[in-house]
Structures are given as structure tokens and as C-alpha cells.
């Protein structure tokens, strides 16, 4: 886990991409059009992150709770994910972007899981930016799956309870290989965490904007980096 560099550029920027439905509704269209347009924002922010020297960009794409949306919307979102993966391979590789998906992947279709595994393998050696997509993810789910696996290791005698500290516990979260976010952006005016990275955001800087996700492009991304550069992070110290 790389430490935060001595610069004002965040190492890890995370985004709760929100407001697709409202964006579409404002144009008298179905919610799915907002999701389609949102893919262009993903591309723009990925490019902006590479340009700014950000090392990790993570995106909350679908929460465990989002499975409770109407089946048609869930199906469209999963189909969109599949097509985006197929379409973006070349541009990700050209830009040196390593692609990683984290979440409760057992709930995804076999086809989507295979496409994800394929893209992760193809981009495994890319090292300019790691693009993490959180899919079927929730913070409480992550902490629970970590606790369960840790309990199994304790029961099997592989780990002693007294050796479980914060670093040891972190290794059981799905984000084990990824530094905690320095900056968390949420679009669309909502100011809540919605069960995203609960453990990992302990000292993350939050940035809220009223801009809806389909309108969040390079200038908006850079504005968030700018705001971050002026924050004073104290981590509990004076
Ligand atoms: C974010 O946009 C995308 C997902 C959560 C999958 P929404 O679909 O939540 O859009 P709003 O918040 O209803 O406008
Ligand atoms: C959070 O957005 C989840 C994602 C962006 C994937 P939601 O739109 O689902 O969150 P709530 O329901 O407004 O809290
Ligand atoms: Mg929403």
C-alpha cells in the first residue's frame, strides 16, 4: 500500500457517481439514458485522473442495495457494464489503466464475471492508473465478509486474536491491495455515504457537488482536485 505522496495531488480519488436518473428525468427521458450518458463521464474522469497523476480512481457503480431497484433497470445497468467493458479495452490499455472490479461478485451473471476477469487479466500489467469499479458492493458487506474470513482463520489456528490489529484486519477487506481514498467525491447534491467505503474512509476528505454525474467531466474533476489541494489533513494531530 503506497503512502500518500508529499504533494497536493491525491493518490486515490473515489467517486460516488450519483444523479443519473435525475439527469434523464430533467430531459423528459427514461432513467437509463442517464446511465448511458454517465459512461462518458467515467471515460472523461479516467482521462483526467491519468493527466493529473492520480494513481487510483475508484467508482461506486452499483451498491448491494441497488439490487432492490426495478428488475428492468438492474438488467440495463448490468448490460451497460458488459458493453462498456467490451468497448473500453483498447483505450484503457493505451492509457496504461489497470482495471479492477471489487464487490460481491457472486451475485453477478457468469457472463459478466467472465468479461470482468478477462479485462482484469488484459490490463494487469498497466501501471499508470488503477481504475477500481465497485460493483455489488457495500461497506457493511465488506466488513462482514472480512470478519467471517478472519474468524475462519482464527478458528483454524492460523491467526491469534491478539495479533488482529488495524493493518491485519484491512488485509481481509476486498480493498487489501488499495490505499484508502484521500478524496471522496459525491455528485448530485446528496451528502451521505450510502454504505460505501465505511472502514476505508476513516480519514478521507469529502467533496460534494450539485453537478449530476452525467455532467461531471474533466473541468469538474479538476475543480475537485483543486479543492482537495487546499485542505489541511490532520489525522487527529494538531
Ligand atoms: C447513480 O445514479 C447510478 C447508480 C446508483 C447505479 P442514480 O440512478 O442513483 O440516479 P438518481 O440518484 O436516481 O438521480
Ligand atoms: C449510491 O447511490 C450508490 C451508487 C452510486 C452506486 P444511490 O442513488 O443508490 O444512493 P441513495 O439511495 O440515494 O442513498
Ligand atoms: Mg441516486
Amino acid at each position: 500500500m503506497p503512502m500518500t505522496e508529499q504533494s497536493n495531488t491525491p493518490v486515490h480519488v473515489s467517486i460516488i457517481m450519483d444523479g443519473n436518473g435525475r439527469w434523464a428525468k430533467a430531459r423528459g427521458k427514461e432513467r437509463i439514458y442517464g446511465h448511458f450518458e454517465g459512461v462518458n463521464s467515467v471515460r472523461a474522469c479516467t482521462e483526467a485522473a491519468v493527466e493529473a497523476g492520480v494513481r487510483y480512481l475508484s467508482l461506486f457503480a452499483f451498491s448491494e442495495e441497488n439490487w432492490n431497484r426495478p428488475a428492468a433497470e438492474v438488467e440495463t445497468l448490468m448490460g451497460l457494464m458488459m458493453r462498456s467493458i467490451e468497448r473500453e479495452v483498447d483505450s484503457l490499455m493505451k492509457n496504461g489503466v489497470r482495471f479492477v472490479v471489487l464487490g460481491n461478485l457472486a451475485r453477478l451473471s457468469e457472463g459478466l464475471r467472465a468479461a470482468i476477469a478477462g479485462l482484469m487479466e488484459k490490463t494487469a500489467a498497466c501501471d499508470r492508473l488503477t481504475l477500481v469499479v465497485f460493483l455489488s458492493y457495500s461497506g457493511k458487506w465488506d466488513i462482514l465478509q472480512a470478519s467471517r474470513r478472519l474468524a475462519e482463520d482464527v478458528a483454524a489456528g492460523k491467526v491469534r486474536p491478539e495479533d488482529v490489529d488495524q493493518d491485519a484486519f484491512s488485509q481481509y477487506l476486498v480493498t487489501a491491495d488499495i490505499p484508502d481514498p484521500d478524496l471522496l467525491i459525491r455528485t448530485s447534491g446528496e451528502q451521505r455515504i450510502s454504505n460505501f467505503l465505511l472502514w476505508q474512509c476513516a480519514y478521507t476528505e469529502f467533496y460534494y457537488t450539485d453537478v449530476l454525474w452525467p455532467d461531471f467531466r474533466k473541468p469538474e474533476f479538476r475543480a475537485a482536485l483543486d479543492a482537495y489541494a487546499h485542505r489541511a489533513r490532520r489525522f487527529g494531530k494538531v
Side-chain angles (χ1 to χ4, degrees), residues 10 30 33 35 42 44-45 58 90 94 101 114 145 147 166 175 177 188 201 225 231 234 236:
E30 301 277 337
Y33 287 97
H35 299 317
V42 170
C45 288
S58 65
D90 293 341
K94 200 181 82 208
V101 173
Q145 69 78 27
S147 306
Q166 293 190 19
T175 50
D177 301 325
S188 86
C201 281
L225 293 190
R231 301 277 179 95
R234 281 185 286 276

Side-chain angles (χ1 to χ4, degrees), residues 203 232-238:
Y203 267 104
R233 301 179 77 184
R234 281 185 286 276
F235 300 99
K237 299 171 195 160
V238 289

Side-chain angles (χ1 to χ4, degrees), residues 7 52 66 147-148 178:
S7 92
N66 288 150
S147 306
R148 234 176 259 137
I178 293 160

Side-chain angles (χ1 to χ4, degrees), residues 17-221:
M17 309 182 289
D18 201 7
N20 294 353
R22 279 164 280 169
W23 185 90
K25 199 178 164 212
R27 284 159 182 76
K29 293 184 173 182
E30 301 277 337
R31 292 175 55 81
I32 53 161
Y33 287 97
H35 299 317
F36 292 156
E37 195 53 36
V39 176
N40 295 324
S41 296
V42 170
R43 196 177 304 115
C45 288
T46 304
E47 283 172 16
V50 169
E51 287 160 14
V54 169
R55 302 306 307 275
Y56 295 83
L57 175 66
S58 65
L59 306 172
F60 199 11
F62 194 85
S63 70
E64 280 279 84
E65 290 77 13
N66 288 150
W67 287 110
N68 300 322
R69 292 191 178 191
E73 182 170 342
V74 171
E75 218 168 280
T76 306
L77 278 166
M78 293 300 154
L80 183 60
M81 202 69 68
M82 186 83 174
R83 263 176 292 131
S84 304
I85 286 175
E86 286 161 357
R87 268 189 212 147
E88 303 296 324
V89 190
D90 293 341
S91 112
L92 291 178
M93 292 191 63
K94 200 181 82 208
N95 285 297
V97 180
R98 177 167 73 112
F99 181 75
V100 174
V101 173
L102 299 176
N104 189 1
L105 305 187
R107 295 186 76 172
L108 305 182
S109 73
E110 228 170 275
L112 183 53
R113 276 206 303 265
I116 289 167
L119 187 52
M120 283 176 65
E121 205 179 295
K122 275 191 194 127
T123 62
C126 297
D127 61 1
R128 275 187 88 185
L129 173 80
T130 297
L131 175 64
V132 184
V133 174
F134 285 95
L135 202 51
S136 190
Y137 180 87
S138 85
K140 286 191 176 181
W141 166 80
D142 196 3
I143 291 167
L144 277 178
Q145 69 78 27
S147 306
R148 234 176 259 137
R149 290 195 297 124
L150 174 59
E152 280 164 14
D153 282 355
V154 169
K158 290 186 206 159
V159 175
R160 295 185 307 172
E162 57 270 37
D163 289 339
V164 181
D165 57 12
Q166 293 190 19
D167 283 343
F169 187 81
S170 297
Q171 287 308 303
Y172 286 86
L173 296 168
V174 294
T175 50
D177 301 325
I178 293 160
D180 290 345
D182 299 293
L183 172 65
L184 176 71
I185 299 168
R186 183 164 190 159
T187 58
S188 86
E190 309 299 351
Q191 303 190 355
R192 54 178 171 260
I193 193 91
S194 296
N195 207 358
F196 190 34
L197 300 166
L198 299 178
W199 170 282
Q200 298 88 338
C201 281
Y203 267 104
T204 300
E205 294 291 326
F206 288 8
Y207 177 88
Y208 301 110
T209 169
D210 288 338
V211 175
L212 304 174
W213 178 246
D215 290 326
F216 194 88
R217 300 290 164 94
K218 285 189 183 187
E220 289 75 20
F221 186 85

